[in-house]
Amino acid sequence: LGFPISPLLAMLFLLRFDGLLVDRAVRRWRHSAARDLSAGEARRRLARGQHGPQTKVSTPDLSGLRKLLADQRQSKDLVSLLESRMEAGYADFGNAMQRCGEMKDLVALQRIIEMAHDRRVGLSSECYGIIMKSAAQCARGKDIWETDVDTHAPAALMVGKAAWHQLKQSGKTPDAVQFGAALDLCAKAGDLQWAHALWHELPEADTVHLTSYLMTLAAYEKPGGWEKVFSHIQRSKMDGPAPSHTLLGALLGIAADQRDLVRAKDIWQQLSYTIHSNPVPYSSFAKALILGGEPEGVAWLPRHMKTTRTSPDFRNFLAEAQALLLVLRSKLKKLPAGACHMTYLKLCNVVQQGLETAKFEKRSRNEICQITEIGHVGQLLHEGRSIPDESVRVLWGGRWC
């Protein structure tokens, strides 16, 4: 150190110097250990999905994507959105497929299926069920009263059956929902043979399965389809599954399109107890009465609805207005206009109630135009104008006798 020191002082100096080194080493070790501990804790939190308040992890906002998919109103925009989002998973594809069914766009549905295949997205069982359900929606026209097979039905059936086979080939066992979607596709697209196969393969049928299967029998099995339908109905009343108002409305609609009023009355007699305040069977039965040549028979349906405490919807008013228009025209051929005034006033009242209900239910412009046209034609008839048959038959074009 450049000056004389005692041995004792030298020893104390060396101990102090060594202590400083040790203290510095300890502090470095503690800092390193704390840093490693923080890194390890962060990894554990990341694994558990638990990030601290200051931890920022960049992940795709899939919930936002699903909301965007649900908000699309045009199928082309739906496809474009999905094409631009590479992070989309099977749940997002399932939502997009469901929207295609709601928009009844089979082309968009096929494009989204191809996109999922190209990206090697592993579809779940639920997705395959959605494909079949959407295909069934695309196989039928946009009007729920239309029960004829649409021109897209063969292509829709092909898409749905491909999904069914892929579901089976993937090793997954179809559940009740997938069986229901497949049977619904059979009913909408007209595949009687596949419906028979599915029905016999089905482990346990429920009301939904029964409805779709009997719809297929009634619409496409000839001869003998209706006899099998009534046999299944009698069996289901005793052993289940129980028939529902959905089955009643669907079978009445099929009988109406076949202009088979005898079948429609038999169905009503056997299943009207299932209504439970649902207005759909009433509008379907009104359609069967009108197309079957008994429009005057619709008059008692509103009274029956009161006994079952069923509130009428727009379609009930629309069918009743069509029936009253036909009754008015028939009476005017036999009686003077004054004697038919009450029928005309009742028609005007039903049309007005229908328009008010249409506004509340946010019905389509086409439906509002239909009931407005019925009221206009009724006014012309009441004024003594000569109206041809095709102008009086406002609803269900091409299905009249």
Side-chain angles (χ1 to χ4, degrees), residues 179-382:
F179 269 104
L183 282 168
D184 185 42
L185 178 59
C186 292
K188 301 286 178 60
D191 194 324
L192 180 63
Q193 185 176 359
W194 191 26
H196 284 314
L198 290 168
W199 182 257
H200 293 298
E201 185 182 351
L202 185 62
E204 184 177 359
D206 60 22
T207 302
V208 174
H209 303 138
L210 178 69
T211 299
S212 296
Y213 183 57
L214 295 192
M215 286 176 62
T216 311
L217 292 180
Y220 305 112
E221 180 150 328
K222 300 174 183 177
W226 280 108
E227 285 71 19
K228 291 183 179 180
V229 167
F230 287 114
S231 176
H232 276 284
I233 289 174
Q234 293 302 322
R235 194 179 308 123
S236 65
K237 286 181 179 179
M238 296 183 293
D239 304 328
S244 68
H245 65 267
T246 305
L247 175 62
L248 170 61
L251 293 179
L252 286 171
I254 293 170
D257 284 336
Q258 295 174 352
R259 297 189 291 275
D260 193 339
L261 186 55
V262 175
R263 298 292 189 192
K265 290 181 176 179
D266 288 343
I267 295 164
W268 181 266
Q269 185 176 2
Q270 292 203 32
L271 295 177
S272 59
Y273 72 92
T274 66
I275 288 175
H276 300 307
S277 303
N278 190 287
V280 174
Y282 287 102
S283 56
S284 297
F285 194 29
K287 177 182 177 181
L289 288 166
I290 293 169
L291 293 182
E294 292 186 15
E296 64 279 0
V298 177
W300 71 272
L301 290 178
R303 297 193 294 270
H304 193 276
M305 293 180 76
K306 291 180 179 179
T307 64
T308 58
R309 297 181 180 180
T310 303
S311 299
D313 64 5
F314 171 77
R315 290 186 179 274
N316 297 122
F317 289 118
L318 183 61
E320 186 181 1
Q322 175 66 88
L324 284 169
L325 182 62
L326 293 169
V327 171
L328 177 63
R329 185 171 188 268
S330 177
K331 286 184 175 181
L332 285 170
K333 289 181 177 180
K334 305 172 185 177
L335 303 171
C340 306
H341 187 64
M342 292 302 298
T343 303
Y344 173 66
L345 290 180
K346 187 174 182 180
L347 171 61
C348 293
N349 181 53
V350 170
V351 169
Q352 182 60 35
Q353 287 181 287
L355 289 172
E356 293 173 358
T357 306
K359 184 178 180 181
F360 176 75
E361 296 179 0
K362 297 181 179 179
R363 289 289 179 170
S364 68
R365 181 180 299 179
N366 181 57
E367 290 174 312
I368 294 174
C369 288
Q370 285 179 329
I371 198 166
T372 303
E373 178 66 16
I374 290 174
H376 177 65
V377 174
Q379 181 181 358
L380 295 177
L381 287 173
H382 186 63

Side-chain angles (χ1 to χ4, degrees), residues 97-139:
M97 293 168 182
Q98 184 174 351
R99 290 291 293 127
C100 291
E102 292 168 357
M103 292 186 283
K104 300 184 183 297
D105 194 324
L106 184 63
V107 175
L109 176 63
Q110 291 174 300
R111 176 68 190 100
I112 290 173
I113 294 172
E114 292 172 0
M115 200 187 309
H117 180 267
D118 294 341
R119 295 185 189 178
R120 297 183 180 179
V121 176
L123 298 180
S124 64
S125 300
E126 290 77 10
C127 286
Y128 288 115
I130 291 172
I131 292 174
M132 289 184 284
K133 180 180 178 181
S134 297
Q137 291 173 306
C138 294

